[in-house]
Each structure stands twice: as structure tokens, then as C-alpha cells.
Amino acid sequence: MTENAQQQPPAPDPELPTQYAPADVEGPLYERWVERGYFEADAKSEKPPYTIVIPPPNVTGSLHLGHAFQHTLMDALTRRKRMQGHEALWLPGMDHAGIATQNKVEQQLAEEGKSRHDLGREEFVERVWQWKEEYGGKILGQMRRLGDGVDWSRERFTMDEGLSKAVQTIFKKLYDDELIYRAERIINWCPRCLTAISDIEVEYQEDDGELVSIKYGEGDETLVVATTRAETMLGDTAVAVHPDDERYRHLVDKRIKLPLTDRSIPVVADTHVDPEFGTGAVKVTPAHDPNDFAIGQRHGLESITVMDERGVITAHGPFQDLDRFEARSAIVAALRSQGRIVAEKRPYVHSVGHCSRCKTTIEPRLSMQWWVKVGPLAKAAGDAVRDGRVKIHPEDMSKRYFDWVDNMHDWCISRQLWWGHRIPVWYGPDGEIVCVGPDEEPPAGEGWRQDTDVLDTWFSSGLWPFSTLGWPEQTEDLQKFYSTDVLLTGHDIIFFWVARMMMFGLYAMDGEVPFKTIALTGLVRDERGKKMSKSFGNVVDPLDWMDKYGSDAVRFTLARGANPGTDVPIGEDWVQASRNFANKIWNATRFALMNGATVEGPLPDPEQLSATDRWILSRLNKTVAEVDAFYEDFQFAKLSDALYHFAWDEVFDWYVELSKTVFQAGGAPAEASKRVLGEVLDVTLKLLHPVVPFVTDTLWTTLTGGESVVVAEWPSDSGFRDAAAEREIETLQSVITEVRRFRADQGLQPGQRVPARLTLDGTALAPHEAAIRQLLRLQPEGDSFTATATLPVAGAEVALDLSGTIDVAAERKRLAKDLAAAEKEKAQATAKLGNEAFLAKAPDNVVDKIRGRLAKAEEDITRLQSQLDRLPQA
């Protein structure tokens, strides 16, 4: 399991500082890793490749707990594969984040009393590039703080020259294949950002609004419709009812008067209408609602736009030039004055979409935009999972993936921004439309102009797995590292980023999947399981915790909560506990070094080892196998928990303590145990390294004299098992645990020494008398020894003389009093639970509470009686 056959390390320096100080270690150590090129992947290497796609963070962003969580897991996967001999590539980069970045620069300009239009497009884009160089990419430095083992030599940006070429190439290919088209459709529109926005950029929240019911038509030909957006009625071009609704059958195909206008509109029958909802009649505004637009398409209705891009009413009449919300109130007032308001509900709480960037209420709007025809692309993305080429983990998340790709609507890819990849289409003076590829010259001459829109950010990030490797060129990187192995990301963006990468990867790479496994994680929440939000006041900056407890502590806490697809609660107490674990690793390794633990030379043959040595080596190999299995199943919480309990409970609390007596005795057994302890720490530090890289590398290099655990060989299960030794040490542990419990029950201090007689002959415990006495603080029996308490455990007998340490009579009196109280509690609980009248009336939670009291009383009675039985009669 060690590398000593390949190198002769110098003798380790046992002079570790008495305490671990993460702030002194982490920064310099990370820079050393980078300088030595440990994270740089070689496309010419003959090692098998292992590639992970990093979700490119926004150039405007900073590291939050969600980033820290996912980056910890990706880093752990990559570090382990690198140690296993793979050519591991984890490629970093950033997304240009169209709207977010443009907003940042526009805010700067506003402080100067300017707008982007004062600068013009070319100068504004140059200003954004300047902002990016000065302020952008803060998160990249924060990734170094976390310990991300990414290949910085390959860092990419979605607006750099190579990725821009990839964007233009695939746009041209899709256009030529008639999978990109231009059409007028309903989109999400932000009246503040003045652009279409994607579904993922819409945040829904419960807002207080109003629901008004309005009477349309006159006399016998009237209908009542309800709406929360009364201002849109100015653009109504129909009222729809269900074709089977008898109430309105006589009105279908007739025209009725639209209030506040000089227009009449038809009544149409459409199965989209739910006759059981409200009045069973709905107003149809094709230019301002996606469902209404679909109804309008089916019935050939006119689409009338009544608002401009800023949400200002454009319809002629008294409401023209009013803001949409001012118009809403004015229109309701006008309808009320005409007696057309049948009912009003205020406040009416309903879900309303807001722009995630500026929090403005979004407006569904009919607009000419560019679209991707997703049908064949989405089918290919679904087929790749169905036929097993791509695995989704956990598997039960596959249904959500299929629900999305099997029902995907065409994708609006144009944005009315200046920052981003400009759509490579030119319009001619006579209506010509020319799409230009990256190696083609755009048309020149009078009247030719390029489309002013840019592409949705998700368009370029959808190319990330292959554009970052050099596509469309057939580079060495692309041949070596595509397709990638794992996409690890949150289940919240499966619909947006994951699906788009699948569609584009399969399309651009001739059916070769962009990644073999999609490993979906949950979201980080606070310690009570509540979503982190600025409005809740529970957002945590992971950098604060890193400053306070160290990056390893933050990483280990996040990994230990990472069950596949499940949200991760996290609190500061847990990070503090992880810091304590790092300190425990430090102190145990320091003890081992001070006592001569070594990795030099082969392990002694099993027959030369004590049962304690054979036990820990058997447990070590089982842990290696267990951790490997958990890694392959993306069970980060389970592997972290297994390592925690093995390292703390078995290595540090038991093996190190049991070894102390052996080291004190000296001789061949001590030398063998020093080699075993060195082996155990060597392997344990390697197993822990992918999750807690800083403390483990510092300790491993000190222990072994090796170059770095980053490039050390991952441990393998040697197959060594010793069931007999495991049973023997488990028996020893049970004896020590039982006597410790008895001592605590009698109020003895942990360090207080007690005379004892051990009867171990003929048991597996006989070789362990020295260890038992040392761990239990048991003195040899003297001439005046009197057995005041006898504990039969595991076939042996431990007799204690407590006469000089406790007042037996007083202790029996105290225990008897506690026992009487427990028996009284049991009687009362039993009586209540036996009362049928009480059980019939009492709430379930009350009954459950009494059952719990009964169980606790019974447990106390057993414990107290056992303690009394062990004490001599006073």
C-alpha cells in the first residue's frame, strides 16, 4: 500500500508544531501544488483520461456555499482519480453572464450620469471588458482558497476567442440544418433590463395582487371573466369557453362588446379552457400571455400589443402612456364606474414572475426572436439516457430529466443586450438574410446590417464540455478528454444547463455523449433545513468559515452532508466539529511521529504481528474497499462518515491508545507496531486527502518524506482480513467500555486510579492485561485489596476495590433513591397507557410522549439495578 519500493524517503521530521494552524498552511501549500504542475493534464499522456466538467461560475459571482459544496465533491473525485493513475482534467473557467454583467456596468455608468446609449455599442462593450479585467473573476481566487485542483493553464471564458468561434460555428450549423429560425412568439420580457430572459432567470414569488371579475358583452350575450392583469384587456381579441360547456354554447362564434373599447371580439370554443375553474370563460390576449397566444394560433386570432418594452400602455385612448400598474388601477376604476366589475378579491395572493437580476415583474410579451427547434435535439438527449450511454445518479432523478426533454418547447436564444455573442446574421437592403460562419466574410455594401441581438448565455455554456477542449478544431485535448466522465451539478439546473449540454454535445460531436454520468446533488440549506436567502438572514459566506476554521473543515462538513440528490443542511457547529477532526488527525500523527511510526521497509508477516496490529490492518483494508465502493456510487456522505469513524474511533481512540503500552515495553513487538502505525496513517491520510487536502498533505509528507500526497498512489485493498483478530479486539473493547461505564456511573474521574484484580486466564484477553490496566487506570492489587465491586465481562472478571474512592453506603442510598423514582415513573406511565378512556381522548403526540417516558423509566431501572448489584452490601 505504500510507495517505498519506488523511492527511499528521507527520515521524517517529527517536529510538527503542537497545534495545526490552517491559515499558515493552506495558501502557501496550494501555490506549491500549482507551481509544481500537479493539476495540469497532459493530452499526450498514455494514462487513461478522467475529465470533469465544472459548471462555469458567473464572472460577476463570488463563492457561495453552493459553489463550495459542489466544488468540494468535484475536487474529491478528481484528486482520487489522479492518485489512481488517471490523467485527470478538471478545467476551470467563467461564464460571461450576459444580463448580470451588463447590469453591473450600466450601474457604474448611472453613477456617472450616463447610459450605455451615451457610449454606443462598441464603446460600451469595451467598457464591459475593462470591468471584467478589473472586477470580474473574484471567484477564481476564492476557488484557490477552497483548494480546487483545477488545471489553471487551461482556464477558459465563454467570450474568449476560441469559445466565440465555437458559438458561431454551431449557430451556423444549426441554421443550415434548419434547426434555428426567427419567429414572433411570447417570451419572458423584463421591462427594466429591456430584454427577453430565460425561464431560469425568472424567480417566482407570492405577491399580493387583485382578482377582478369583469362582465363582457351586453344583454343576454354577456360573459364574466376573471383576471389579475386587467390592463391586458385592451389587447383582448376573444373570449374562450370549453366546447362542451352548455352555459355558453349559444354564444360560440358570436361577437360581443369588449368594454372600454370600440371593438367587438368573438367567443371561441377551445379545449384548453377548464369549465370547472371560475366562470368557465377566459379572456384571450394573444400578445401578452403564452396560453392565450396558443389559443390565438389555433383560432387565427389577431395579436394586439398594448404595451411597449418598458411596460407603458400604447393602446389609443385614455390609458395611453400610463405605466402598466397605473393603467391596471385606472382600468378597474373605469370598469367599476360602468358597473362591469362583478366581483373583486383584494388582496389576492398569487405566484408572479420576477427578473432574477433586477427583481422587476416580468411581462409576457409577443416579440420577434431567434429560436432553436429542439424536437430532434431533445429526442437525442432523451435517447442517450434511455439506452444507457449516459447514467443519471441517483437513478430516480431520471424521471425529472425525461419530463423535461420529452416535453421541451422551442428555445428562445436571442437577448436584447449588447454584452454577449452577437447573432451572426446579416440583413440585406432587399430583405436578404445571411448567416455567417466563423471563417466567412459578412456581406458588405450599402444597406447591410448585422442583427443587434446577442445569444442567451445558456447557448454558449451549453457548448462547454467540448468548446473548452478546442472544438471545432480536432485538438489533442478534444481527442483525449472528450467525452467527459462526470457532470456533477445541482438538480435545480437539470432542465437548463444539463439538457442544453446534452443536446449540443450529441449534435456537434456526431452522437458522442458530452458526459458518461450525470451526478445530481441537492442544495445547501441552513441547519434547520431552510433555504438560504438574504431575506431570511441565514446566508453564510463560506470564506468567513474558512478564515475561522480552515478550508478542510468547511469541505469535510459539506462532503459529510452530501447524500445523492438530497438537500444538505449545514450549521457552524458542524464546521467547528470538522475543525476538531482535523486537529485530531494532526495530534494523532504528531504522537505517532514522536513514537517512531515509520513507513520504511515492508510490513512484518502477519504471524509476527500482535492481534491488535492484525485487527487494525484488517479494518484498514475493509475501509479502503468500503470507501472505494462509496466513491463509485457518489455516496460522499457515507464515505466521509466511514473515514471519520475509522480514523477517530478505531485508529486514534483505540489503536493509538492500545499501542502506547507496546511502545513503552519496547522490543520487537514495538518495532512491528511502529511500522503498522506508519502504514495505517499513510493509508488513512491518503484516503482522507481528496476531501481534506491541506492537513493531509502536510502530515503525509512529514510522515513519509514523500513529495506530496496529491501525486501519491491511491491505496488498494490488499485483501488481508483477520476475523479472529477483529473478534478479539472487539471483546477487548467491550471490556474496556463496560468498565469505563461502571466507573462513570460511580462518579469516578477519568484519571482516577483504582486497585483492581483481573482474572483473564483462559480468555482472549490474557495478552492485553497491560493495555486494560493502562486504559482503565487500574492499579495492581495490594496487600489490603478488598473487592468491593466485581464485573464479569466477556468470560473474564474485573474486581475493583472502591473502598478508598467512594462511600459505598452513600452510593447505595443514592442509587436506591433514583431506582424508586424510576419505578414510580414506570407505574404512572403504565397506569395511563392501561386506561382505555385516556387513550381514546388523548392526542397521539401525548400518548407517544407517555410511551417514551415508560421506555426511559424501564431503561433507568435496568441500569440502576445493575449498578446496585455490582456494589457490595454496606
Side-chain angles (χ1 to χ4, degrees), residues 113 125 173 185 305 308 360 486 530 546 555 605 777 780 799 801 820 825 874:
V125 170
K173 180 173 170 60
R185 300 271 183 84
T305 299
D308 68 11
T360 301
V486 178
K530 193 173 184 179
M546 288 184 216
R555 289 170 62 114
D605 292 334
R777 304 295 190 267
D801 182 354
E825 174 74 3

Side-chain angles (χ1 to χ4, degrees), residues 560-606:
R560 206 172 175 193
N563 290 298
T566 304
D567 289 348
V568 182
I570 184 171
E572 187 167 2
D573 288 351
W574 305 339
V575 184
Q576 188 172 352
S578 295
R579 188 271 314 273
N580 295 344
F581 179 51
N583 289 342
K584 186 77 171 179
I585 302 169
W586 183 271
N587 292 334
T589 306
R590 188 168 176 272
F591 164 84
L593 289 167
M594 291 168 60
N595 284 275
T598 180
V599 297
E600 293 189 50
L603 279 172
D605 292 334

